[in-house]
Amino acid sequence: MKTAARSTPATLNTVLFATDFSDSAKRAQSYATALAKRFGAKLFVVHAKEPPNYSLPPESWRSADDVDARKIHELQKSLPEGFPSLKSEFCVGEGSVWHVVESVLKSNRVDLIVLGTRGRTGVAKLMLGSQAEEILRRSLCPVLTVGPHSQEITGGEKELTEIMYATDFTPESQAAAPYAISIALALGAHLSLLHVVEEPRVGELVNPEEIIPSSVRLLGTLIPEGAEFWREPRCLVETGVASEKILEVAERIPASLIVLGVRKPTGVAGAVTHLGAGMAHKVIASATCPVLTVRH
């Protein structure tokens, strides 16, 4: 019989937002600022500049530098205007996104990374070693990925009203529970805890229906005693393919944020989650809300 470890609160004192000033980054920015504001966290805004291509005419790479400088200045000006109480720091470096992000991680304690992904082609690159994939694979702190179907939020944290946490009760998945619970409590959001019972393989005699009651009880043990939710959390158990059910239930709720635990990636790129190779990527690619992945 599996046992579930009761969760303790997670804190978000620093949020790192990686931006390339694209539309996808703009969507991600709205979540980064909303969470930083609600938790009173410091926001690190990180931008990775392409190294100058000296084989091109000087005016070409100087023009690119001018565009970067202008966009950084605009963001430096707009953040205090839109979020007067938000503490922020801008970090700009040359090289890959991960190289610049890693330098900030080494010199500062970061509790959450927020990044966006572009369209279907951009998400497909997650499976092929893109910059977003590298951050997902190498970062030890939680990563909030704002996928191509996620909506930009305009009203701040008040739009994050439904948090859905999926678990298979492994230590990897349970590592994400404190984040789901703490965010739900901080935002006054409704929390749903989901466990997906996979269909039995050939030769297995387990009846999924027999597992459902005990799974509901296990989900209940993850909720901290005395936690003051504005609305009672709900425990959901579904049968089927994990990625499909997570997306289906998220649409049905509908979820404002999906929270998943991931194990240290090994083998091929994309095999980063405890719920099956590439499952997190499938959820990120298709979800209509951001996905928070937490490393055990």
Side-chain angles (χ1 to χ4, degrees):
M1 178 77 176
K2 293 179 180 177
T3 58
R6 194 171 293 278
S7 303
T8 54
T11 57
L12 296 180
N13 295 317
T14 52
V15 175
L16 186 156
F17 163 53
T19 180
D20 59 1
F21 306 110
S22 63
D23 289 341
S24 59
K26 186 178 180 181
R27 285 195 301 272
Q29 179 186 329
S30 64
Y31 291 91
T33 51
L35 289 172
K37 177 185 175 184
R38 187 63 187 87
F39 279 88
K42 181 176 181 179
L43 180 66
F44 287 95
V45 181
V46 176
H47 174 60
K49 295 170 55 179
E50 291 285 343
N53 186 347
Y54 295 110
S55 64
L56 297 175
E59 58 269 18
S60 296
W61 46 266
R62 286 173 184 162
S63 176
D65 282 346
D66 289 344
V67 171
D68 270 356
R70 177 174 55 81
K71 290 181 177 179
I72 291 168
H73 175 72
E74 289 173 353
L75 189 53
Q76 286 176 319
K77 182 180 178 181
S78 65
L79 275 181
E81 291 176 351
F83 302 89
S85 62
L86 184 65
K87 297 170 290 183
S88 61
E89 181 176 334
F90 284 70
C91 307
V92 181
E94 285 189 359
S96 70
V97 174
W98 171 249
H99 173 76
V100 179
V101 166
E102 185 182 30
S103 67
V104 178
L105 295 178
K106 286 181 177 179
S107 56
N108 300 276
R109 177 170 179 171
V110 174
D111 299 311
L112 176 67
I113 296 175
V114 182
L115 55 89
T117 61
R118 295 189 184 92
R120 292 188 178 276
T121 54
V123 172
K125 291 179 183 177
L126 285 173
M127 307 293 285
L128 302 173
S130 73
Q131 294 171 339
E133 163 68 6
E134 189 169 17
I135 291 175
L136 282 168
R137 287 177 58 81
R138 300 184 67 171
S139 172
L140 297 179
C141 73
V143 178
L144 178 66
T145 307
V146 183
H149 305 295
S150 300
Q151 300 298 313
E152 181 180 351
I153 56 175
T154 57
E157 72 276 5
K158 291 182 180 179
E159 293 184 55
L160 299 172
T161 58
E162 291 282 351
I163 310 299
M164 192 187 84
Y165 160 63
T167 179
D168 64 357
F169 303 117
T170 59
E172 290 85 0
S173 69
Q174 291 186 63
Y179 290 89
I181 292 166
S182 296
I183 291 173
L185 286 169
L187 302 182
H190 187 206
L191 176 65
S192 297
L193 299 90
L194 171 68
H195 174 61
V196 179
V197 179
E198 297 278 0
E199 297 291 348
R201 292 185 288 269
V202 176
E204 289 184 342
L205 301 178
V206 177
N207 182 352
E209 297 299 322
E210 297 174 356
I211 303 174
I212 290 177
S214 60
S215 297
V216 171
R217 288 193 294 272
L218 278 173
L219 288 173
T221 65
L222 292 171
I223 302 170
E225 293 180 0
E228 296 183 357
F229 293 94
W230 77 273
R231 183 178 171 190
E232 189 70 20
R234 56 185 161 192
C235 299
L236 306 171
V237 179
E238 300 276 340
T239 59
V241 178
S243 60
E244 295 175 1
K245 283 296 176 181
I246 289 172
L247 290 167
E248 179 185 312
V249 174
E251 282 289 318
R252 192 167 72 223
I253 287 176
S256 308
L257 173 68
I258 298 171
V259 182
L260 303 172
V262 298
R263 72 161 62 97
K264 184 178 180 180
T266 57
V268 298
V272 299
T273 174
H274 65 287
L275 292 171
M279 193 284 295
H281 294 79
K282 293 177 184 177
V283 174
I284 291 170
S286 302
T288 56
C289 65
V291 180
L292 173 60
T293 50
V294 181
R295 182 74 52 79
H296 178 51

